[in-house]
Amino acid sequence: MALPDRKPMLQVEGIKKYFPIEKGLFRRVVGQVKAVDDVELEVRQGETLGLVGESGCGKTTLGRCIVRAIEPTEGRILLRLDGDRMTDLLQLGKQDLRAQRRHMQMIFQDPYSSLDPRKTILDIVAQPLRANRMGSPSEIEDRVRDLVELVGLNVESLIRYPHAFSGGQRQRIGIARALATNPRIVIADEPVSALDVSVQAQILNLLQDLQAEFDLTMLFIAHDLSVVEHVSDRVAVMYVGKIVETAETEELYLHPLHPYTEALLSAVSVPDPDIGQDHMILPGEAANPADLPSGCYFHPRCRYAEDRCRTETPAWTEARPGHFARCHFAGELELTGVDA
C-alpha cells in the first residue's frame, strides 16, 4: 500500500555516476561509462520502494551512491535527519558523514562474503554500535541479543562464526546488523537473490514483519519482479542508468506505461498451469553505457519505436496520477500487464 501522505525520507536529485575510460600509457580519458545517468527518486517515510531492472542497469551502483560507498559524479542526495530538515549527504565532510552513517544501512546481496569470517556473530552485529559509540559494552551486548532474537536466531548463536550458518541464517545476521543503529533508511541490495526459493520467502516475510514493527523506510533492489511485488509499496523501473517508469505497485503491474516494463512483466511466472504465458523476448542486448544510442536508450529493442524515438530524448511524464514514465507514447500504447 502506497503512502502518499507521508513525507519524503530520501530524495535523489540528478544523480550521475560516470566511470572514466582510460587508454594509453598516460591513461588519457577517452570516454565515460554512464552507470547512473541523471536519476530522480523519492522514498517516503515508512514505505518500501522497489527498484528493478536487468543485471547491469545500475541498480547496485545507485544504492552505493546513496550511502556514499562510492562517490557520485554529480547530483544531490537529501536525507531527512531532523523534523522537516533535509540534509544533502554529498555536502557533508568526512567527519560529518561518519556521524550520519548510522542513519543509512545496507543489506548486501551475498550473505557469504558480507560477513567477516574471523569475527563472531556478536562482534559482527555489534560493530556498527561500537563504531558509533552507541552505548556501554553491556548495553551493546543486550541490544545485539535482542536483534538476534528479533530476526529468528538463538542467542547461543552469538559465540559462533559465520561458517556455521546456512545462507538464510547469514542473511538474517546481515539484517540484524543493518537494524542495529535504528537507521532511517535501509538499502536492501538483492537480499534474497542468492538464496533458495523457500528461504527467500522466509527472508521476505521477515523484512515485511520488521517494516511493520519499526516503520522502516526501505529501498529494495531486485531483478525479480515477483519478489518486488511481494514487498513493495511503489516500484521504480531502471534501464541503462535511467529510471524509465515509477508507480504504485498494483498500478504498475496492471497498467505498465513503458515497453521495457511490459517486457519485464511478461517474464513474471503465474502459478497456474491453466494460464498460458506469452513471454516477450527482447531483441539484442541492453544498451552499452559507454556508447549509448541517441534518443530513447530503449529504442533499438522496442517493438513500438518510431522515428522520433531514435532522435528525441523522451521527457519524464506523469501520464496517470502518480504514474510516471519516460516514453514518447506513455498512456497511448496498449501494453499488457499482469494481475498483481
Side-chain angles (χ1 to χ4, degrees):
M1 179 179 178
L3 305 169
D5 57 329
R6 297 288 188 97
K7 296 178 180 178
M9 178 62 72
L10 173 73
Q11 287 181 309
V12 175
E13 300 179 355
I15 282 294
K16 299 178 181 179
K17 180 56 184 177
Y18 296 169
F19 294 95
I21 301 172
E22 299 176 338
K23 188 176 181 180
L25 179 64
F26 298 102
R27 314 305 296 171
R28 182 169 56 92
V29 176
V30 296
Q32 301 280 350
V33 175
K34 298 182 178 181
V36 178
D37 191 12
D38 198 18
V39 165
E40 304 277 341
L41 210 59
E42 177 182 279
V43 188
R44 300 170 189 142
Q45 181 181 356
E47 82 165 349
T48 297
L49 176 67
L51 180 62
V52 301
E54 292 172 288
S55 296
C57 72
K59 307 184 300 295
T60 294
T61 302
L62 176 60
R64 291 177 180 268
C65 284
I66 290 173
V67 299
R68 282 188 66 180
I70 56 177
E71 291 294 324
T73 303
E74 185 180 313
R76 302 174 73 205
I77 300 171
L78 304 174
L79 182 65
R80 185 177 302 281
L81 296 177
D82 300 304
D84 292 331
R85 185 172 66 90
M86 301 290 282
T87 299
D88 186 355
L89 300 179
L90 297 185
Q91 298 300 316
L92 299 180
K94 186 175 181 180
Q95 292 301 319
D96 290 335
L97 178 63
R98 179 181 176 86
Q100 303 302 339
R101 280 201 182 278
R102 66 187 183 91
H103 296 304
M104 44 185 181
Q105 296 291 320
M106 286 196 73
I107 302 170
F108 296 96
Q109 176 177 357
D110 187 356
Y112 292 91
S113 63
S114 61
L115 303 180
D116 190 335
R118 299 166 297 178
K119 292 185 177 181
T120 65
I121 303 312
L122 172 61
D123 290 333
I124 289 172
V125 179
Q127 186 175 11
L129 295 168
R130 292 169 179 165
N132 289 281
R133 300 177 182 177
M134 297 178 66
S136 65
S138 61
E139 290 172 336
I140 289 176
E141 186 168 340
D142 289 342
R143 171 67 173 162
V144 172
R145 286 176 178 271
D146 292 341
L147 286 167
V148 166
E149 289 184 328
L150 187 67
V151 298
L153 297 175
N154 297 323
V155 292
E156 289 80 6
S157 304
L158 293 176
I159 61 173
R160 299 165 69 187
Y161 291 84
H163 72 267
F165 297 89
S166 67
Q169 290 172 323
R170 293 185 192 206
Q171 200 60 291
R172 290 174 185 269
I173 295 165
I175 293 170
R177 178 177 59 184
L179 297 180
T181 59
N182 290 318
R184 294 184 179 274
I185 186 164
V186 173
I187 312 294
D189 183 14
E190 306 224 27
V192 298
S193 64
L195 306 176
D196 293 338
V197 174
S198 60
V199 180
Q200 286 185 14
Q202 295 172 16
I203 298 300
L204 292 174
N205 290 333
L206 172 63
L207 288 173
Q208 285 190 304
D209 292 342
L210 292 172
Q211 185 187 36
E213 183 170 349
F214 297 105
D215 198 29
L216 286 178
T217 303
M218 191 182 311
L219 177 62
F220 189 95
I221 299 171
H223 62 267
D224 187 338
L225 271 79
S226 59
V227 169
V228 169
E229 184 269 334
H230 186 67
V231 299
S232 302
D233 301 299
R234 290 189 301 127
V235 177
V237 181
M238 195 170 190
Y239 183 73
V240 196
K242 282 188 177 291
I243 303 297
V244 297
E245 185 168 0
T246 183
E248 293 182 13
T249 302
E250 185 173 2
E251 165 67 15
L252 184 136
Y253 276 63
L254 290 174
H255 308 293
L257 296 178
H258 197 283
Y260 179 60
T261 306
E262 180 189 39
L264 291 179
L265 291 174
S266 76
V268 176
S269 297
V270 178
D272 188 339
D274 295 328
I275 297 178
Q277 288 188 263
D278 183 18
H279 296 297
M280 190 179 299
I281 306 299
L282 292 175
E285 300 287 340
N288 181 358
D291 185 21
L292 292 165
S294 61
C296 175
Y297 291 172
F298 187 62
H299 85 257
R301 309 175 75 190
C302 181
R303 62 171 68 183
Y304 308 104
E306 297 186 6
D307 288 341
R308 65 179 299 196
C309 301
R310 299 174 177 86
T311 57
E312 298 178 27
T313 301
W316 186 241
T317 305
E318 185 175 17
R320 295 194 182 102
H323 194 161
F324 296 82
R326 193 182 301 276
C327 177
H328 291 303
F329 308 107
E332 300 177 18
L333 301 174
E334 294 186 7
L335 304 182
T336 303
V338 297
D339 187 353

